[in-house]
Amino acid sequence: MSATDTERFDHLRVLGLSDDEIKVYQHLLRTGPSSITELDEAVPDRAATIDATLGGLVQAGLARRSGSDHARFLPVPPDAGLEAMTLRRESELKQARIEVLNAYDEFRRTVHNESTTHLIEVVTGNAIVERIHQIKGGAQREILAIDSPPYYIGGPNQEEIDHLKRGVSYRVVYSPESVEVPGYLTENILPCVEAGEQARVLPDVPAKLTIIDGSVAFVSMSVRDTDVNRSLLIIRPSSLLTALIGMFELCWRNALPLHASVGAEDDRLEPIERRLLALLATGAADDTIARTLGISRRTFFRYLERLMNRTGASTRFQLALHAARENWL
């Protein structure tokens, strides 16, 4: 079997075809119309009869009878058949997911109904990154996060961008320390915001926290509590998870938007001034803001002075209050 045949075999198996059906179908693709006898001889190593195998291919919409006596079979354009198989397979996977979740809930209610150890999992060392990818990869609706260094995973956050593309919403509260990590603002935060993430910043965050679909959470200490990643707690449905969701919502309500509101219009503001205000709200250092905007420190201070004169603010805090009140943030 060639590499191409092997790959096709694996793909057809994913769609739900049996090994026998795949072997016969691949033979039809290579040879064209064949009789039952020819197929029976050409594909001898089967668990099912040739009639049952061909019946499965016909039902799947991948083959049909041909000839005046309908004694031969040939492959047909698979569009409709593949679509039906794909939908059926998706339905089966959804049902299987429901059954597994129900089985675990039953296990939790009966076998471990007096134990709480399964509600909290402690992960350490190299296993942390693997568990994060494993659980976040299954996100379906929403991810909530309180973001603070130190980080388990470096570089651009392609996983989040992929999630956003397939409809998973993100609300993230950043700590000022996040923005100060070299390259994190431009390589991680801003690309995610541009992809659809709702982002805010809070001067003091209580912990590093990620909540997936309201059903599981990761918790670890922020950079103010530890310099390195030592352990990660995975919290499953419980009163503790409910409290963590409430903590996130409280932080979200008290945080400032990290970027200019979509659709906000004000003739008095230039685009670069909106961006500057958004970066100021993060608590980023002056050098970081200037570098992100691609301007010199001198130009940065000129824009800042102009904004403060325009709003009558004497401090950056007053400028931030005015920007929030005017819906500039």
Side-chain angles (χ1 to χ4, degrees), residues 35-150:
S35 68
I36 293 179
T37 302
E38 290 170 341
L39 291 169
D40 193 22
E41 294 174 352
V43 189
D45 299 325
R46 301 186 317 275
T49 66
I50 190 63
D51 289 331
T53 302
L54 287 168
L57 289 174
V58 171
Q59 185 178 11
L62 298 178
R64 68 172 176 84
R65 292 179 178 272
S66 69
S68 58
D69 57 354
H70 298 286
R72 301 177 73 78
F73 288 81
L74 78 164
V76 298
D79 301 30
L82 288 177
E83 181 67 20
M85 291 170 64
T86 301
L87 292 175
R88 184 168 64 249
R89 192 64 170 169
E90 288 178 352
S91 177
E92 292 171 354
L93 289 173
K94 288 180 181 178
Q95 186 60 39
R97 182 175 182 271
I98 292 171
E99 290 299 327
V100 172
L101 291 174
N102 288 340
Y104 182 78
D105 286 341
E106 182 67 22
F107 160 79
R108 191 173 62 186
R109 288 193 302 269
T110 57
V111 180
H112 278 63
N113 59 339
E114 296 182 356
S115 174
T116 59
T117 55
H118 66 288
L119 299 178
I120 301 177
E121 176 185 350
V122 181
V123 185
T124 60
N126 296 333
I128 291 177
V129 173
E130 180 181 349
R131 292 294 281 133
I132 289 176
H133 280 310
Q134 183 183 51
I135 297 177
K136 286 183 72 175
Q140 298 294 316
R141 303 184 310 277
E142 180 183 51
I143 291 183
L144 313 175
I146 298 176
D147 185 285
S148 176

Side-chain angles (χ1 to χ4, degrees), residues 297-316:
R297 279 177 57 87
R298 182 176 180 179
T299 302
F300 161 74
F301 283 114
R302 188 168 67 248
Y303 276 117
L304 179 61
E305 182 181 10
R306 187 165 64 184
L307 284 168
M308 296 181 73
N309 290 337
R310 187 179 305 166
T311 60
S314 57
T315 66
R316 295 189 184 190

Side-chain angles (χ1 to χ4, degrees), residues 8-19 22 89:
R8 187 180 296 129
F9 196 101
D10 293 337
H11 293 318
L12 290 169
R13 181 184 283 162
V14 168
L15 288 173
L17 290 181
S18 69
D19 288 358
I22 297 171
R89 192 64 170 169

Side-chain angles (χ1 to χ4, degrees), residues 28 37 40 65-66 76 135 168 214 227 240 263 284 295 324-325 329:
L28 285 172
T37 302
D40 193 22
R65 292 179 178 272
S66 69
V76 298
I135 297 177
V168 179
D227 294 330
L240 176 56
I295 59 178
R325 186 169 57 246
L329 291 173

